[in-house]
């Protein structure tokens, strides 16, 4: 709130101003708050109806501020998931997540951030940050920006190939920004994603990641994509949530044979075996 200075000769000791939630007004009609909040975004409701100053207009992830928790040691049996956003002059960020399947919650417990480093140094940083992950402890291959992967000209060596030289096989993250924003907001609002408070850079980015000001572009439409800056840790967070099911307690570990049959299904539930040529 702005610090407003009032001259002493203008002060009235009988007048005071207080910020209060709308529902403290006992004289409101029964459905007033419900109608007021209809079709309003979460940040608007929390700021203007419930008087919370933790929400700012235009935030992409307004519910994130309620999802920061004190850090704690991660149990070894929790599956891990890692994502990275590549940068040269910009920051290169690794984000580490752990999945509590019993409670259905994903915890982001570690971030590693650097810049102006070569591939060998970045690979070493990856392995140093992964020393606490047991063999078989990864839910899936690490994820990276899909723009760093394969293009139509397959004769060129990509960033993915450079990391393969150091035994790190990245998989591409999801491209659609709209889908990523919807998915991550759902994770935040459902309480399925919590972030350790030691991830200070990620928290700072989430608190300042906004949509552009409402102004018309060349097509006379308001821009609806987030401002593409200061999101080097947010992008890996989005890719992590896109890779997981809607409920983290329902991880699926499918194992398939060469013909695409799911070997995790009980034998009696499977279709009787038929030679591949006759299928």
């Amino acid at each position: 709130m702005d610090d407003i200075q009032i001259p002493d000769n203008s002060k009235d000791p009988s007048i005071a101003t207080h910020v209060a939630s709308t529902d403290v007004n006992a004289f409101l009609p029964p459905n007033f708050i419900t109608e007021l909040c209809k079709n309003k975004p979460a940040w608007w409701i929390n700021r203007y109806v419930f008087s919370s100053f933790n929400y700012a207009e235009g935030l992409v992830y307004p519910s994130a501020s309620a999802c920061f928790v004190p850090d704690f040691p991660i149990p070894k049996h929790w599956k891990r998931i890692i994502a990275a956003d590549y940068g040269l002059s910009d920051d290169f960020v690794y984000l580490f997540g752990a999945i509590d399947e019993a409670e259905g919650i994903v915890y982001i417990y570690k971030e590693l951030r650097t810049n102006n480093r070569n591939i060998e140094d970045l690979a070493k940083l990856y392995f140093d940050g992964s020393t606490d992950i047991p063999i078989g402890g990864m839910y899936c291959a690490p994820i990276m920006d899909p723009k760093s992967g394969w293009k139509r000209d397959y004769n060129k060596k990509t960033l993915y190939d450079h990391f393969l030289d150091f035994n790190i096989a990245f998989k591409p993250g999801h491209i659609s920004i709209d889908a990523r924003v919807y998915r991550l907001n759902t994770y935040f609002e459902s309480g399925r994603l919590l972030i350790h408070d030691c991830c200070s850079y990620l928290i700072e980015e989430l608190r300042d990641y906004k949509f552009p000001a409402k102004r018309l572009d060349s097509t006379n439409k308001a821009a609806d994509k987030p401002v593409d800056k200061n999101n080097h840790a947010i992008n890996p967070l989005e890719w992590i949530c896109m890779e997981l099911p809607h409920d983290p307690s329902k991880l699926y570990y499918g194992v398939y044979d060469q013909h695409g049959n799911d070997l995790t299904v009980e034998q009696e539930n499977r279709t009787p075996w038929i030679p591949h040529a006759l299928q």
Side-chain angles (χ1 to χ4, degrees), residues 75-108:
K76 285 189 175 295
H77 68 278
W78 286 7
K79 288 293 183 182
R80 315 298 176 88
I81 184 167
I82 302 173
D85 187 30
Y86 181 74
L88 282 172
S89 58
D90 290 330
D91 289 341
F92 187 108
V93 178
Y94 288 116
L95 213 59
F96 293 74
I99 307 163
D100 180 359
E101 293 182 69
E103 298 295 332
I105 297 175
V106 180
Y107 290 90
I108 303 301

Side-chain angles (χ1 to χ4, degrees), residues 30-41:
N31 296 327
F32 179 82
I33 293 181
T34 301
E35 293 298 322
L36 181 65
C37 296
K38 187 177 293 184
N39 299 323
K40 298 294 194 302

Side-chain angles (χ1 to χ4, degrees), residues 69-162:
V69 298
D71 63 295
F72 59 84
I74 298 297
K76 285 189 175 295
H77 68 278
W78 286 7
K79 288 293 183 182
R80 315 298 176 88
I81 184 167
I82 302 173
D85 187 30
Y86 181 74
L88 282 172
S89 58
D90 290 330
D91 289 341
F92 187 108
V93 178
Y94 288 116
L95 213 59
F96 293 74
I99 307 163
D100 180 359
E101 293 182 69
E103 298 295 332
I105 297 175
V106 180
Y107 290 90
I108 303 301
Y109 67 95
K110 185 190 299 183
E111 62 180 9
L112 300 176
R113 180 179 293 241
T114 186
N115 56 30
N116 294 319
R117 304 282 288 274
N118 61 51
I119 299 294
E120 185 172 5
D121 288 342
L122 294 173
K124 184 178 185 303
L125 186 64
Y126 173 90
F127 287 117
D128 289 345
S130 307
T131 53
D132 62 321
I133 303 177
I135 296 176
M138 293 288 291
Y139 171 66
C140 64
I143 309 163
M144 188 186 280
D145 187 343
K147 293 181 292 185
S148 301
W150 300 278
K151 306 295 191 298
R152 290 187 177 182
D153 186 350
Y154 297 103
N155 293 319
K156 293 181 179 179
K157 198 166 187 179
T158 68
L159 184 60
Y160 285 35
D161 296 318
H162 288 308

